[in-house]
């Protein structure tokens, strides 16, 4: 049992409970706030969406999360907002009004999640427009309406907000005041924010994070580690509930440093932090576009880069995305730290080159990978576009000098027991002039290097075909001067 201190809507909470208790269960059964629905309990449907705010260095930042896979420890000293917290006293708020006007709710079970996703969007996005508003709903599923009415409701909401000049309000307290004055959220949110400032009044010393891990007691040398918890709370929720895991989110392993020769990313960095980073967007300008194929807004707000790496799934999207850059991983434990290439971390299915007590600390990519001659592409095939596991995914990094390949990295997921870095294929292509004949001949090496198996996501023959097509699609996308009609005939 541990003590959790946070703000729930407008009330300060001091709760003694198990740190692994799920936030949705706490809201519904301990606090009698049934507007937060539990449907899938895997973070897939969005019915349990709540808004969570953090206040640090005089800045308030809100995000939407799926409360059904969020441990209560991970909202310590934060502001949790539920559907009850944005309701107005005797009338619908503007979001609810637009849903009603457009018949965007039938059974109603998913509706609070949609409302919360849009409310969270309005609290977190600087420039409001229809495309990004609809994207904010990518983690919400409705099984009744067919979505057309929800799209119309969102269109009506955005149109009204632009008429009210929402984009003239700045993020933070100014945006909150705008939303309150225009009857979009309750004034309880302002009250809750004032209380959040109070419980976060003492500065947090994060100057020596590494020592935190090096000085852990001996009995915690091999703890279960929870960062965002988006996988563990799905895969082993019952087991986790009876354990005392090490929660590392509060240790602020979320950082992105622009170093002279490299970009360093803390492995507690969330997917959304990567999207929103100026450093990342400058060096990986298409990341935000590719990220629309990975998870959903709520999951991207929770899931961490380190969690995706250490999970060791053969189709881990961010691992496949990063492998072509040949990044370096730093691991730390009580004995110090060591570095290893990401492509060498994976030994076999779910087996890592990771010593007792080691924790993934950071990932570094050389800035040479981001120069003007560099090309990059990411592809993913899944049964549905949003919030789905890949059948096969693939990424390529390519550098050309007068059509000669001077550097290359290629990864494929879903074709081996591990996220596969295609070493032999890269070696075959290196220092050769890129043309149709070379790509066709490289396919033999490529096929020898993969060994897909049949599973729920497709037969081995299907996956081999997908891998072949994604291999070709990289070059079609990046080297359009080559005539590829023969390849795809």
């Amino acid at each position: 049992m541990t003590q959790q201190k946070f703000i729930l809507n407008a009330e300060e909470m001091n709760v003694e409970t198990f740190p692994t208790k799920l936030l949705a269960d706490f809201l519904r059964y301990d606090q009698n706030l049934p507007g937060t629905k539990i449907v899938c309990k895997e973070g897939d449907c969005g019915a349990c969406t709540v808004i969570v705010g953090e206040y640090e260095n005089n800045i308030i930042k809100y995000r939407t999360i799926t409360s059904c896979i969020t441990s209560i420890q991970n909202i310590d000293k934060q502001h949790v907002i539920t559907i009850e917290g944005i309701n107005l006293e005797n009338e619908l708020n503007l979001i609810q009004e637009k849903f009603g006007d457009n018949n965007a709710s039938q059974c109603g079970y998913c509706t609070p999640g949609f409302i919360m996703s849009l409310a969270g969007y309005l609290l977190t996005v600087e420039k409001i427009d229809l495309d990004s508003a609809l994207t904010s709903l990518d983690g919400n599923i409705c099984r009744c309406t067919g979505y057309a009415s929800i799209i119309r409701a969102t269109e009506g909401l955005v149109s009204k907000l632009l008429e009210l000049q929402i984009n003239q309000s700045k993020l933070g307290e100014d945006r909150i005041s705008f939303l309150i004055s225009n009857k979009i959220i309750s004034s309880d949110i302002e009250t809750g924010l004032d209380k959040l400032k109070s419980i976060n009044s003492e500065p947090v010393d994060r100057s020596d994070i590494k020592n935190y891990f090096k000085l852990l007691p001996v009995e915690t040398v091999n703890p279960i580690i929870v960062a965002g918890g988006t996988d563990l709370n799905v895969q082993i929720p019952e087991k986790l509930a009876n354990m005392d895991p090490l929660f590392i989110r509060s240790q602020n392993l979320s950082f992105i440093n622009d170093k002279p020769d490299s970009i360093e990313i803390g492995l507690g960095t969330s997917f959304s932090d990567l999207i929103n980073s100026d450093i990342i967007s400058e060096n990986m300008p298409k990341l935000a576009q590719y990220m629309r194929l990975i998870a959903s807004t709520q999951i991207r707000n929770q899931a961490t880069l380190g969690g995706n790496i250490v999970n060791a799934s053969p189709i881990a999207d961010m691992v496949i995305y990063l492998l072509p850059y040949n990044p370096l991983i730093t691991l730390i434990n009580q004995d110090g730290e060591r570095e290893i290439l990401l492509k060498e971390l994976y030994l076999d299915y779910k087996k890592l080159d990771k010593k007792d007590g080691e924790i993934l600390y950071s990932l570094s990519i050389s800035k040479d990978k981001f120069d003007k001659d560099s090309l990059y592409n990411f592809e993913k095939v899944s049964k549905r576009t949003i919030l789905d596991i890949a059948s096969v995914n693939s990424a390529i990094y390519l550098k050309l000098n007068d059509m000669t390949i001077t550097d290359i990295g290629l990864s494929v997921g879903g074709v081996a027991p591990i996220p596969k870095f295609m070493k032999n294929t890269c070696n075959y292509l290196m220092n050769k002039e890129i043309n149709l004949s070379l790509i066709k001949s490289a396919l033999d090496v490529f096929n020898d290097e993969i060994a897909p198996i049949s599973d729920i996501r497709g037969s081995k023959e299907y996956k081999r075909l997908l891998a072949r097509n994604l291999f070709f699609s990289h070059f079609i996308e990046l080297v359009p001067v080559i005539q590829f009609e023969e390849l795809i005939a």
Side-chain angles (χ1 to χ4, degrees), residues 286-342:
K286 290 187 176 181
L287 176 66
Q289 171 189 329
Y290 296 137
M291 276 288 196
R292 293 181 78 159
L293 299 174
I294 300 174
S296 67
T297 297
Q298 295 98 313
I299 300 300
R300 290 192 294 267
N301 287 339
Q302 295 171 267
T304 63
L305 185 55
N308 198 245
I309 290 172
V310 80
N311 176 265
S313 168
I315 46 176
D317 287 310
M318 283 309 300
V319 178
I320 295 301
Y321 180 91
L322 290 166
L323 274 172
Y325 288 121
N326 202 24
L328 197 65
I329 296 286
T330 299
L331 301 102
I332 59 175
N333 65 6
Q334 294 168 322
D335 298 324
E337 62 184 79
R338 70 182 177 103
E339 295 180 333
I340 183 174
L341 291 172
L342 177 60

Side-chain angles (χ1 to χ4, degrees), residues 32-47:
N32 194 27
L33 296 173
T36 302
K37 307 300 184 186
I38 299 175
V39 181
C40 67
K41 214 159 191 178
E42 293 187 353
D44 279 350
C45 72

